[in-house]
Amino acid sequence: MPWCVKKCPYCDFNSHALPKVQGVQEATSIVDLPDSALPAELEQAYLQALIQDAAQQQPLAQGRCISSVFIGGGTPSLISAKGYQWLFKQLKALFDFSADCEITLEANPGTLEHQPFADYLEAGINRLSLGVQTFDSVQLQRLGRIHSQDDAMQAITRAREAGFNRLNVDLMHGLPAQTEAQALHDLHTAIGQGATHVSWYQLTIEPNTVFFRTQPVLPEDDILADIQQAGEAVLHNHGYVQYEVSAWAKEQPCRHNLNYWQFGDYLAIGAGAHGKVTQPEGIYRFQKTRQPKDYLDQQPASMLNWQAIAADDMAFEFMMNALRLKEGVPSSFYNTRTGLSLDNLQPILTKLRQQGLLVADEQRLQCTAQGFNYLNDVLSEFVMD
């Protein structure tokens, strides 16, 4: 869902400011939608396009059940809850959904950016991910966020009261001029409000963002390292388990993210979406056009850059995902997920185990604590010349 109320200066995701209705093709009404953040005509047209997109990808599922859906953006909560009810009714006519399918919606805390959370729960969404980023009012302004500290805290409370038992809070650290105490305050606040999952990651300056053109002054490396170490201790002491580089779960890890890191398959529906599917002749990646207008005009959107992962790239692609997981994956996954034998990688694996960067257990592909800290160096070993 590619629209936001406002584009944040650090954001390099496929997000676009809320448009006006002009220039959007009129669509036949599919549902009696209430007022929503998006113009009704645009919401209807986009939901219809999503279903046409999904229908053309139906064969790629190869009869497999949908076990998770992640609705990202942009700000997906700008779409009405009633719109999601219609969307999932259509999707379930195209695909088999597992009985315990995990359906995550990304939402921002601002009251302009979501409907009552109970309405999303009623639409079948059972996991919520709130883009808080920080509870510090000054930092929120620096980051260009339109919600306040109170908005963020109230959003978590209201989501829990609405019945969301699985609630992720996105937090960034290493913000401009941020101290260790400020970063830890964010964590303590999210924990105290009842987050069951925390995505905690360092702000990075990405190309094609406002921050890249006018770079803010970020904390020095020593401070960043102290924040990272102290924050990990706080999360650990409160019963959160780190299962991926930036993901901490108190109860259940995110099934959808686990599928990514375990090199599973996933479909791509919507402007800017990326997919990966295994076919008899190879493993393919593809994407959808980023511009919402182009996506709407195509209906159904083309499979852009449909390309097989080359055999020489497979080891790096697999390890780049699997070794992000704190517990790694069973060694057998390499063969079952790539179709290739692990035998060709044995010299590299032996070297990394002797260096203390991979665990000695040959039945697992897993970094040691030291290897996890030097993950980029570990992954570089799997780049084939």
Side-chain angles (χ1 to χ4, degrees):
M1 303 299 184
W3 292 285
C4 284
V5 174
K6 177 185 176 184
K7 181 80 170 180
C8 296
Y10 59 85
C11 179
D12 69 335
F13 289 107
N14 186 40
S15 62
H16 306 265
L18 280 175
K20 297 180 180 178
V21 184
Q22 295 154 341
V24 177
Q25 297 176 346
E26 185 174 349
T28 303
S29 180
I30 55 177
V31 64
D32 184 20
L33 292 171
D35 292 337
S36 61
L38 278 181
E41 296 92 337
L42 177 58
E43 176 167 310
Q44 293 172 4
Y46 193 72
L47 291 173
Q48 286 178 315
L50 292 178
I51 293 304
Q52 293 185 52
D53 193 354
Q56 73 167 335
Q57 294 181 58
Q58 186 184 41
L60 299 179
Q62 302 171 62
R64 291 172 288 181
C65 280
I66 303 298
S67 61
S68 68
V69 179
F70 196 98
I71 310 166
T75 305
S77 51
L78 292 176
I79 302 291
S80 70
K82 201 164 186 180
Y84 281 119
Q85 287 179 342
W86 181 88
L87 177 66
F88 281 106
K89 181 179 179 181
Q90 308 308 310
L91 287 174
K92 288 178 180 179
L94 292 170
F95 302 99
D96 289 330
F97 276 60
S98 64
D100 63 343
C101 184
E102 174 193 275
I103 303 178
T104 300
L105 176 78
E106 287 187 333
N108 284 341
T111 54
L112 294 175
E113 300 169 285
H114 64 77
Q115 292 188 294
F117 291 122
D119 292 350
Y120 295 114
L121 194 65
E122 186 178 350
I125 294 159
N126 52 32
R127 185 176 182 274
L128 202 61
S129 181
L130 287 174
V132 172
Q133 311 311 345
T134 178
F135 292 96
D136 185 301
S137 298
V138 174
Q139 291 289 6
L140 285 170
Q141 291 182 350
R142 288 172 176 164
L143 295 175
R145 306 295 286 174
I146 65 172
H147 66 267
S148 67
Q149 175 184 347
D150 288 342
D151 288 335
M153 296 177 68
Q154 290 175 13
I156 299 173
T157 300
R158 289 172 180 169
R160 295 302 301 257
E161 290 175 347
F164 276 98
N165 297 319
R166 300 187 63 193
L167 177 62
N168 173 67
V169 172
D170 269 352
L171 291 175
M172 289 195 296
H173 60 89
L175 305 180
Q178 188 181 48
T179 65
E180 180 181 320
Q182 291 170 333
L184 297 187
H185 172 75
D186 283 343
L187 284 176
H188 283 296
T189 303
I191 293 167
Q193 292 297 109
T196 62
H197 187 288
V198 176
S199 296
W200 193 58
Y201 47 92
Q202 183 178 317
L203 170 64
T204 55
I205 306 301
E206 303 290 348
N208 302 316
T209 64
V210 172
F211 274 4
F212 186 79
R213 296 189 292 273
T214 57
Q215 294 197 14
V217 178
L218 301 182
E220 296 180 355
D221 288 345
D222 288 347
I223 296 175
L224 292 174
D226 290 343
I227 289 174
Q228 182 75 36
Q229 185 176 14
E232 290 178 357
V234 167
L235 288 163
H236 177 76
N237 290 338
H238 283 84
Y240 293 81
V241 176
Q242 183 183 25
Y243 67 94
E244 188 266 336
V245 169
S246 59
W248 296 74
K250 193 164 190 178
E251 298 172 7
Q252 296 171 275
C254 176
R255 180 187 298 173
H256 198 83
N257 286 344
L258 280 177
N259 182 56
Y260 285 146
W261 310 137
Q262 293 173 349
F263 212 57
D265 285 356
Y266 46 96
L267 303 179
I269 300 169
H274 289 247
K276 169 188 168 288
V277 292
T278 302
Q279 300 283 278
E281 66 276 14
I283 301 175
Y284 293 84
R285 293 195 183 279
F286 62 99
Q287 64 191 73
K288 298 306 175 71
T289 183
R290 292 173 59 88
Q291 291 295 328
K293 186 178 185 305
D294 294 340
Y295 180 84
L296 284 165
D297 288 344
Q298 288 179 10
Q299 292 193 29
S302 302
M303 306 283 198
L304 301 179
N305 300 324
W306 176 270
Q307 189 170 12
I309 301 176
D312 286 347
D313 297 331
M314 197 71 76
F316 176 76
E317 289 270 352
F318 180 89
M319 298 297 177
M320 180 178 62
N321 288 278
L323 295 182
R324 286 180 64 97
L325 292 171
K326 195 74 170 179
E327 300 300 321
V329 297
S331 298
S332 60
F333 272 30
Y334 187 75
N335 173 254
T336 58
R337 300 289 165 97
T338 70
L340 301 177
S341 172
L342 200 58
D343 292 345
N344 294 337
L345 300 182
Q346 288 305 330
I348 300 173
L349 298 175
T350 298
K351 173 186 173 182
L352 291 171
R353 286 175 176 136
Q354 290 175 344
Q355 292 175 335
L357 299 176
L358 290 185
V359 298
D361 183 359
E362 294 188 0
Q363 300 306 308
R364 294 202 68 78
L365 297 170
Q366 177 186 359
C367 285
T368 61
Q370 182 181 11
F372 206 65
N373 289 333
Y374 294 94
L375 183 56
N376 287 339
D377 293 327
V378 172
L379 294 177
S380 68
E381 296 290 334
F382 297 98
V383 177
M384 304 300 173
D385 295 330

